[in-house]
């Protein structure tokens, strides 16, 4: 269904070598996504070229700026239909991947699809701000990722509590980010993070993308993340 050669080349441009097993798995994931989308709203992008560029390559761009160590513990927050988390796992099956979302329906799709190709991810049905207060998840991860989930200020409160000191949080953004980053600067500091690098690139004809890499430099104070209503009403300043 997808043009595997095109995906292989796109990944190569990120310095990433995808083998035949990975390419087959991407093909099956795309097929399952388009098929399931007929009865469950998973994504607005269902054409093969769109899936390759806007889902797979966009997600894989994370690996162009950050290379997790072997069997690193990773969490994708607000994974939806598995982006970027499932994609990272297909490219790097050694990763210990947790996929978190507040919506069960999409997680079911992700779980079934990954299992059908012999991959395992821990599926976590929870709001990020609840799981982030539980000791089994708090400051346990080498890498946290999130794409299209929330404004960076709120997103940092959702994501940084999961990251261990020394680990990294990568926020994936498609729109202009300068203002968003400036507004989030103090929140990131309060949560124990420090902006490390900001990487902007062009995702083929799909426009600009920005990857914001935030290092966890100290523990997140216990009061964060706050309950959802508080985060929404009083974003950290
Ligand atoms: N990351 C996926 C992608 O880029 O295709 C999905 C993006 S979708 C626009 C946002 C997802 O984040 C939804 O699946 C939603 O349920 C989830 N989400 C938003 N806020 C959340 C929170 N506080 N805790 C858990 N999931 C959340």
């Amino acid at each position: 269904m997808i043009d595997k050669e095109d995906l292989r080349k796109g990944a190569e441009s990120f310095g990433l070598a995808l083998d035949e097993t990975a390419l087959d798995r991407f093909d099956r994931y795309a097929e399952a996504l388009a098929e399931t989308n007929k009865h469950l709203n998973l994504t607005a992008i269902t054409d093969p070229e769109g899936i390759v560029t806007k889902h797979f390559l966009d997600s894989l761009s994370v690996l162009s700026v950050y290379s997790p160590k072997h069997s690193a513990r990773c969490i994708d927050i607000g994974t939806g239909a598995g982006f970027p988390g499932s994609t990272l796992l297909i490219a790097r099956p050694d990763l210990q991947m947790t996929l978190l979302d507040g919506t069960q329906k999409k997680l079911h799709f992700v779980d079934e699809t990954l299992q059908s190709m012999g991959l395992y991810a821990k599926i976590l049905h929870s709001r990020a701000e609840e799981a982030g207060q539980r000791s089994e998840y708090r400051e346990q991860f080498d890498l946290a990722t999130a794409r299209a989930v929330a404004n960076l200020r709120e997103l940092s409160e959702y994501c940084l509590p999961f990251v261990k000191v020394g680990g990294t949080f990568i926020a994936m953004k498609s729109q202009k980010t300068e203002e968003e980053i400036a507004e989030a600067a103090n929140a990131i500091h309060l949560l124990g993070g420090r902006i490390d690098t900001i990487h902007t690139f062009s995702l083929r004809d799909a426009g600009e993308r920005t990857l914001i890499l935030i290092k966890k430099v100290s523990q997140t104070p216990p009061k964060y993340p706050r309950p959802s209503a508080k985060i929404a009403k009083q974003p950290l300043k």
Side-chain angles (χ1 to χ4, degrees):
M1 182 201 179
I2 59 165
D3 183 341
K4 290 197 243 175
E5 187 51 23
D6 185 43
L7 174 59
R8 195 190 61 72
K9 282 195 189 136
E12 204 175 67
S13 75
F14 293 143
L16 199 66
L18 295 179
D19 62 16
E20 255 330 292
T21 306
L23 290 168
D24 276 344
R25 283 171 167 157
F26 277 117
D27 191 38
R28 287 166 61 191
Y29 204 93
E31 181 107 41
L33 185 70
E35 195 49 44
T36 308
N37 208 58
K38 290 179 184 161
H39 55 88
L40 176 69
N41 186 19
L42 292 171
T43 174
I45 303 158
T46 50
D47 62 299
E49 294 80 23
I51 293 176
V52 166
T53 301
K54 295 182 188 157
H55 283 322
F56 294 162
L57 290 174
D58 189 26
S59 297
L60 290 172
S61 68
V62 165
L63 298 175
S64 73
V65 294
Y66 180 87
S67 185
K69 64 176 193 291
H70 193 273
S71 56
R73 290 196 72 185
C74 304
I75 183 163
D76 186 29
I77 290 149
T79 194
F83 303 112
S86 294
T87 310
L88 302 180
L89 186 63
I90 293 174
R92 286 280 310 270
D94 61 287
L95 297 176
Q96 298 182 64
M97 180 63 72
T98 296
L99 301 170
L100 175 147
D101 204 287
T103 306
Q104 178 77 59
K105 280 187 290 187
K106 293 183 186 177
L107 287 177
H108 185 65
F109 157 79
V110 173
D111 194 20
E112 270 204 334
T113 308
L114 290 176
Q115 276 198 44
S116 76
M117 42 184 79
L119 289 173
Y120 174 78
K122 179 171 173 59
I123 303 293
L124 184 53
H125 176 216
S126 172
R127 298 278 307 174
E129 54 277 40
E130 286 159 18
Q133 283 293 1
R134 285 162 61 185
S135 58
E136 68 260 53
Y137 305 117
R138 192 174 174 87
E139 309 208 303
Q140 297 297 316
F141 295 89
D142 301 294
L143 173 68
T145 53
R147 183 182 85 159
V149 175
N151 176 284
L152 187 60
R153 195 156 59 171
E154 288 167 51
L155 192 62
S156 297
E157 189 163 352
Y158 292 156
C159 297
L160 276 168
F162 289 102
V163 182
K164 54 169 91 150
V165 174
T168 300
F169 159 44
I170 302 182
M172 307 175 67
K173 295 282 171 185
S174 57
Q175 70 285 26
K176 282 256 167 271
T177 48
E178 287 95 350
E179 212 173 298
E180 197 179 334
I181 292 170
E183 271 175 17
N186 196 47
I188 292 168
H189 170 72
L190 287 174
L191 294 157
R194 190 190 63 212
I195 294 184
D196 186 44
T197 46
I198 298 164
H199 181 77
T200 299
F201 67 100
S202 202
L203 181 67
R204 296 184 156 176
D205 58 359
E208 267 196 359
R209 296 289 188 274
T210 299
L211 299 170
I212 306 163
L213 275 74
I214 298 171
K215 262 247 169 292
K216 184 83 176 261
V217 290
S218 56
Q219 284 193 334
T220 301
K223 64 177 169 189
Y224 306 120
R226 299 164 298 159
S228 322
K230 261 240 153 102
I231 296 179
K233 270 196 221 127
Q234 295 169 13
L236 288 175
K237 283 198 182 124

